[in-house]
Amino acid sequence: MSESDFFDLSIIIAFWLMIAASLLTFARLVLGPTLPDRVLSLDMLMTLAIGFIAIFTLLTGVYAYLDMAIALGLVGFLATIAFARFILNQASCPEIIDETKDYKQTAKDAGSSE
Amino acid sequence: MSNLFLINVLLAFAWCAVTGSFSILNLMFGFVVSSGALWLTREQHQTNKYFKRVWLVLGLIGLFLKELVLSVFRVAWLVVRPRQSYRPSFVSFPLTVDRPHEITLLANLITLTPGTLSVDISDDAATLYIHCIDVEDPDKLREDIAQGFERKIMEALR
Amino acid sequence: MINYITGALLIIGALFNLIAAIGLLRFPDVFTRMHAASKAGTLGSGLMLVAIALHAGELSISSKALAAVVFFLITAPVSAHLLARAAYVAGVEPWKGTVLDQLKGHYTDKEGHLSADDETSD
C-alpha cells in the first residue's frame, strides 16, 4: 500500500470511528438522566466537532478550516461555562437538574393529593 | 528574573530589526540567539535562576504530557474492560502551594492526570477536593500528588 | 513517511474519541463520565490537530494548530472542574458505589461556599 493510499484509508477509518463516537454521545444526550450529563455530552459533541473539522481539513487541504476549529473551541468553552453557571443558579429547583427526581416528586404529589 | 526575560525579548526584537525581517521564525531565532547571549554573560547577572527555571518548566511540561498519555490509557482500560467495578471517591487534598496561579496550575494538572478530577477548593484556598475514579488508598494518592506535581510546581515557579 | 504518521495519529485520535464516547455511555454517574470526556476526548481531538500540524509542513499553519492544542489543554480541565462543581452543588447524587465522600457536608449554603476541611487525617 502506498503512502497516499494509507492516508486516504486512515481518513475514512477516522471518519467512521468519529461517527460512531458522535452517535454514542448523542445517545447519552438523549438518555440524560440529569442536566449535567446532558451538558457534558454537549461539551463532548463540541470536542467531536473539532475532530471532524480536523479530519475535513486534512481531506480537503484547505487550512482555513483550522480557524473554525479554534473559534468553535472558544465558543464551546464559553457555552459550557454558561451552562455550569446556569446549573449553579438552578440548584434550588431539583426538577430542572434531575428529570427522574421530578417524576418521583410529581408521583408522590399526585399520591398525596388523592 | 522577569527583568532578564524582558531583556531577552528586547534583544530578540533588536535581532529582527538588525536582520530586517520580522517573521515569526526570525523572531524565535532571535529569541534563541539572545538567550544564548544572556547565558554567556550569566556571571554578571545577580541570579542564575533564569536558566535553571527554563529546564524546570520544560521538565514540568514533559511530566504533564507523560501523565496525560498515561491517564488516557488508564481511562481507556476502565472503559473497555468487561467487568465494571470502580471505587470512585471524593478525596480532600491539603494544599501546600498558596499563590493563586500555582493553585490553578495544580488543579488543572490534577484534572488531566490519571483518574483524578479536581472538583472544588475551599473558600480559604487551603483544601482541594478531588474526585477519583478508582482509588484504593486516599493517603497514597495525596502523597503521590504532593511529591509529584506539587513539588515540581514549587521548584519551577519559585 | 509523514503521511503514515499523520494517518496513524488520525486513527489513534479517533479511537480515543470513540473510547471517550463509550465511557460517557458506560460509566455510572456524571462525575465518572467527566473523567472519560475531559481526558480521552481532549487528547483525541488534540492528536488530530497535531496531525494537521505535522501534515501542513508550514510554520504559520503548524503554529496555529499547536496553539489550538494548547488552548484545548488549558480549557478542558477548567470546564470539567466547573461542571463537576456545579453538579455537586446542585445536588446531583454521586453513584451509590462511591466509597468515600470527604466533600459531603462541607458546603455551607446553596451558593457553593465551601468551608475548610478540618479532619484531613481520617
Side-chain angles (χ1 to χ4, degrees):
Chain A
M1 191 167 22
S2 75
E3 264 198 41
S4 55
D5 279 351
F6 175 76
F7 186 65
D8 293 343
L9 187 67
S10 68
I11 283 184
I12 292 170
I13 293 174
F15 255 131
W16 279 109
L17 290 175
M18 293 289 282
I19 288 169
S22 343
L23 285 178
L24 292 176
T25 313
F26 200 75
R28 178 49 70 196
L29 182 67
V30 174
L31 287 175
T34 64
L35 185 59
D37 282 307
R38 297 206 162 94
V39 176
L40 187 65
S41 46
L42 278 179
D43 192 51
M44 186 65 205
L45 278 180
M46 190 271 295
T47 313
L48 289 175
I50 288 163
F52 271 120
I53 292 172
I55 301 176
F56 199 66
T57 308
L58 283 174
L59 181 69
T60 56
V62 181
Y63 291 108
Y65 289 126
L66 204 51
D67 294 327
M68 214 163 78
I70 295 174
L72 185 62
L74 249 176
V75 174
F77 173 60
L78 289 180
T80 309
I81 286 183
F83 267 123
R85 300 286 308 175
F86 173 74
I87 293 170
L88 218 50
N89 285 340
Q90 301 299 318
S92 49
C93 330
E95 68 273 13
I96 292 179
I97 305 296
D98 195 340
E99 275 182 4
T100 52
K101 261 185 197 168
D102 182 27
Y103 293 142
K104 275 181 218 154
Q105 199 68 40
T106 44
K108 219 183 278 173
D109 287 349
S112 62
S113 63
E114 276 170 14
Chain B
M1 149 50 203
S2 56
N3 284 338
L4 272 184
F5 181 71
L6 204 61
I7 292 171
N8 206 339
V9 172
L10 277 176
L11 282 176
F13 272 105
W15 170 269
C16 283
V18 169
T19 53
S21 145
F22 274 90
S23 69
I24 298 286
L25 192 62
N26 202 30
L27 194 66
M28 274 155 60
F29 184 60
F31 193 83
V32 172
V33 167
S34 53
S35 62
L38 283 176
W39 185 73
L40 283 177
T41 58
R42 64 191 178 281
E43 302 289 320
Q44 269 68 42
H45 311 308
Q46 307 300 321
T47 168
N48 198 17
K49 253 181 151 181
Y50 182 60
F51 298 103
K52 260 190 207 156
R53 188 163 296 196
V54 171
W55 287 116
L56 288 170
V57 169
L58 284 180
L60 193 65
I61 293 171
L63 179 75
F64 166 68
L65 288 178
K66 192 193 95 193
E67 295 275 324
L68 176 64
V69 172
L70 280 181
S71 117
V72 169
F73 278 108
R74 200 173 148 194
V75 168
W77 168 238
L78 282 176
V79 169
V80 296
R81 70 177 177 179
R83 197 173 50 87
Q84 296 283 55
S85 73
Y86 332 95
R87 280 151 300 172
S89 53
F90 293 88
V91 174
S92 66
F93 175 74
L95 286 167
T96 316
V97 290
D98 52 0
R99 284 187 270 178
H101 62 274
E102 290 169 352
I103 295 174
T104 312
L105 188 60
L106 182 66
N108 281 6
L109 289 181
I110 284 173
T111 298
L112 286 176
T113 52
T116 53
L117 179 94
S118 47
V119 175
D120 207 351
I121 186 164
S122 62
D123 280 356
D124 58 356
T127 312
L128 194 66
Y129 292 91
I130 305 168
H131 181 261
C132 309
I133 193 164
D134 191 17
V135 64
E136 281 177 31
D137 184 8
D139 287 325
K140 189 172 175 299
L141 181 89
R142 288 193 198 106
E143 181 75 17
D144 282 348
I145 295 172
Q147 291 303 316
F149 278 130
E150 201 172 32
R151 202 165 54 87
K152 287 259 180 188
I153 286 174
M154 300 242 281
E155 279 172 359
L157 295 182
R158 286 192 175 174
Chain C
M1 188 61 211
I2 200 76
N3 276 348
Y4 284 123
I5 299 175
T6 39
L9 277 179
L10 269 185
I11 294 178
I12 294 171
L15 263 180
F16 279 151
N17 270 333
L18 184 62
I19 284 171
I22 296 173
L24 210 59
L25 208 56
R26 247 189 123 178
F27 280 161
D29 70 348
V30 66
F31 301 102
T32 44
R33 278 170 203 151
M34 225 163 268
H35 284 277
S38 73
K39 286 175 197 127
T42 309
L43 195 70
S45 287
L47 280 181
M48 290 178 163
L49 289 169
V50 171
I52 292 181
L54 286 177
H55 194 259
E58 212 176 302
L59 188 75
S60 60
I61 294 166
S62 299
S63 64
K64 207 189 273 176
L66 289 180
V69 174
V70 172
F71 181 74
F72 290 133
L73 287 185
I74 293 173
T75 55
V78 176
S79 54
H81 151 72
L82 268 171
L83 207 53
R85 179 172 182 275
Y88 198 96
V89 174
V92 175
E93 275 160 30
W95 182 49
K96 58 185 188 312
T98 303
V99 288
L100 180 72
D101 189 354
Q102 293 186 324
L103 191 54
K104 198 172 190 168
H106 280 294
Y107 281 105
T108 47
D109 53 28
K110 277 281 179 190
E111 312 270 272
H113 287 295
L114 189 59
S115 64
D117 190 34
D118 296 319
E119 57 286 321
T120 51
S121 51
D122 62 347

